[in-house]
Amino acid sequence: MINLHGGGFNSDSGSLSETIPIANLSGIKVIAVLYRLAPEHPFPAGLEDAVAVYKELLKTYKPSHIGIYGTSAGAILTSEVTVKLKQLGLPLPAVTGIFSGMGDFSQVGDSSALFALNGFSGHLDPPKGDDLDTEYTTSTNPKDPVLSPIYADLTGFPPTLFVTSGRDLLLSGTTVLHRAYLRAGVDAHLVVFEALPHAFWNTPHLPESKEANQIMAGFLEKHLGK
């Protein structure tokens, strides 16, 4: 498994908390990609690093034995990497996991107006029309199909698990991207937890975190070649 950690594209907030539970529960080797970060290294630097790791793994593993997953920024990267691999004509991984992500930098989802990282944000402003992260996107067209996979050809993508929660600021982005995968005929599954904030599974003592990790590990393991 390849893990692409969260952290808003500018920090590492998950390379341990996202990998250790999945490796423990599934018994599968997990590689955490410490990709280059914005603002010093904006798009597509992190994407290129993740693709390079995947290419290296293809030298010793069949694609049916490789999966890619990530949380938040890493979830976005997971979808971006899949688009890029298809564009490059490389075999796609057996499974992907998009955990609290999104696929459209040109529009801000409704949930981003309601919630902050820790849930309800207090004073509510309407969503702004600009893109979500200019440090990461810089001058790239927000509708670029690699940057924003919702505009890409998603047909033929591997089975994908989407996980989010009812107070996740990327709830909208996750569900909208999930529907795009469904429209493309992808075997895409969506799990929405109740009343929890963004990437809650990084708080390991929560019973819901344990449940989420079980769901994630089970789905990823199920779809990897034996």
Side-chain angles (χ1 to χ4, degrees), residues 26-81:
S26 68
I28 297 169
K29 294 178 182 178
V30 180
I31 296 173
V33 181
L34 302 183
Y35 54 86
R36 287 171 290 171
L37 299 170
E40 293 83 2
H41 303 286
F43 178 86
L47 170 70
E48 292 170 347
D49 293 344
V51 170
V53 171
Y54 184 79
K55 285 181 176 179
E56 189 65 25
L57 282 182
L58 285 177
K59 296 177 181 178
T60 50
Y61 291 89
K62 297 177 181 178
S64 61
H65 289 248
I66 303 174
I68 305 174
Y69 73 96
T71 291
S72 193
I76 297 168
L77 266 176
T78 296
S79 188
E80 292 178 346
V81 167

Side-chain angles (χ1 to χ4, degrees), residues 182-225:
L182 289 178
R183 289 195 299 270
V186 180
D187 180 13
H189 299 251
L190 172 65
V191 177
V192 181
F193 281 78
E194 166 68 5
L196 289 162
H198 181 66
F200 66 85
W201 44 89
N202 283 335
T203 304
H205 65 271
L206 293 175
E208 293 91 344
S209 295
K210 296 176 183 178
E211 182 181 352
N213 283 322
Q214 288 279 4
I215 292 170
M216 294 168 180
F219 186 91
L220 297 170
E221 182 182 13
K222 173 184 174 182
H223 290 281
L224 281 185

